[in-house]
């Protein structure tokens, strides 16, 4: 099974997500992985020229027709909430590009699920919502149901699957909407797969 969200090359293949624009050329050149072009919300404030960013993202998506978009999203944790305005702007640019090019977009969300959900619902209302993946998902059943209604899929890594309440947390997400990821911890991939398969077998 492929790795649905990672920042490292995985021999199993999968979606190789950028953190900054400087990552894009290397990710594009990586064999055996699906490139994902974007800027992580932790670095959104460093993008000085958003018009240049938007043009560059469009260009990369034109050039790489199998690419996905991300990582993007919202992070309202104490460390990053002061950059939320910049995060929101880039999130909308990512979502717009993903919609225009009909690509999956990888979403990071910390302490901002209500706002992210509202943004996605508004896009759905306007028929401009791309396909979305919420990575490192650890939200409530109620939130999961809301995102599922928008067509979202989810990915989870070792940290999420090793949680004592993982079985309960993920039991209501359909099998075809929940997938494994290694994120920034490639060494956890074998254990992640083992826990993921065990959990699926117990459902």
């Amino acid at each position: 099974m492929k790795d649905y969200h990672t920042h490292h090359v995985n021999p199993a293949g999968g979606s190789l997500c950028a953190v900054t624009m400087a990552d894009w050329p290397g990710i594009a050149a990586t064999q055996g992985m699906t490139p994902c072009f974007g800027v992580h919300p932790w670095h959104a404030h460093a993008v000085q020229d958003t018009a240049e960013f938007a043009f560059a993202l469009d260009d990369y998506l034109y050039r790489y027709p199998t690419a996905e978009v991300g990582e993007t999203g919202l992070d309202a944790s104490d460390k990053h909430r002061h950059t939320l305005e910049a995060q929101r702007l880039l999130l909308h640019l990512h979502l717009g590009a993903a919609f225009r090019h009909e690509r999956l977009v990888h979403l990071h969300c910390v302490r901002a699920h209500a706002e992210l959900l509202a943004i996605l619902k508004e896009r759905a209302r306007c028929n401009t919502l791309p396909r979305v993946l919420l990575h490192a998902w650890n939200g409530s059943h109620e939130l999961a149901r809301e995102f599922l209604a928008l067509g979202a899929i989810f990915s989870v890594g070792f940290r999420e699957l090793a949680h004592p309440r993982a079985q309960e947390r993920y039991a209501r997400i359909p099998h075809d909407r929940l997938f494994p990821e290694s994120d920034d911890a490639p060494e956890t991939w074998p254990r992640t797969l083992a826990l993921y398969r065990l959990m699926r077998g117990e459902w």
Side-chain angles (χ1 to χ4, degrees):
M1 179 172 286
K2 72 177 185 179
D3 191 337
Y4 275 73
H5 181 95
T6 185
H7 299 288
H8 301 271
V9 175
N10 189 329
S15 298
L16 182 60
C17 295
V19 174
T20 70
M21 291 179 69
D23 298 332
W24 296 6
I27 284 175
T30 301
Q31 299 295 312
M33 302 291 289
T34 298
C36 305
F37 304 118
V39 172
H40 196 287
W42 294 353
H43 301 277
H45 65 283
V47 176
Q48 300 298 317
D49 189 333
T50 54
E52 179 184 355
F53 165 81
F55 281 121
L57 182 55
D58 266 329
D59 178 57
Y60 268 82
L61 293 176
Y62 276 122
R63 289 162 54 196
Y64 299 94
T66 64
E68 296 170 355
V69 175
E71 177 174 359
T72 183
L74 297 174
D75 193 316
S77 62
D78 292 343
K79 184 175 181 180
H80 299 288
R81 68 176 57 173
H82 67 286
T83 68
L84 272 170
E85 184 176 351
Q87 293 180 42
R88 291 183 187 106
L89 176 55
L90 279 203
L91 171 61
H92 281 289
L93 293 176
H94 284 89
L95 290 170
F99 175 75
R100 289 192 302 277
H101 293 270
E102 299 182 328
R103 310 298 173 85
L104 178 72
V105 56
H106 292 246
L107 297 175
H108 166 108
C109 190
V110 176
R111 298 185 185 177
H113 287 96
E115 181 176 356
L116 179 62
L117 183 60
I119 289 170
L120 299 184
K121 282 185 173 181
E122 178 61 18
R123 284 192 165 267
R125 189 185 70 80
C126 297
N127 294 314
T128 59
L129 179 65
R131 293 177 297 127
V132 300
L133 178 149
L134 286 100
H135 101 92
W137 177 254
N138 61 4
S140 67
H141 293 311
E142 293 75 20
L143 275 173
R145 184 168 59 246
E146 296 266 22
F147 284 110
L148 284 167
L150 295 172
I153 61 174
F154 305 87
S155 60
V156 289
F158 182 76
R159 179 183 58 225
E160 292 80 37
L161 290 167
H163 191 278
R165 297 183 62 185
Q167 185 72 24
E168 174 188 349
R169 177 180 289 165
Y170 303 119
R172 300 183 196 176
I173 298 178
H175 286 191
D176 61 351
R177 305 282 283 275
L178 182 69
F179 303 100
E181 65 165 52
S182 66
D183 195 16
D184 202 29
E187 71 281 0
T188 66
W189 181 242
R191 290 177 291 165
T192 298
L193 270 186
L195 285 176
Y196 175 79
R197 288 169 173 156
L198 177 63
M199 185 173 63
R200 284 175 63 106
E202 291 177 352
W203 286 351

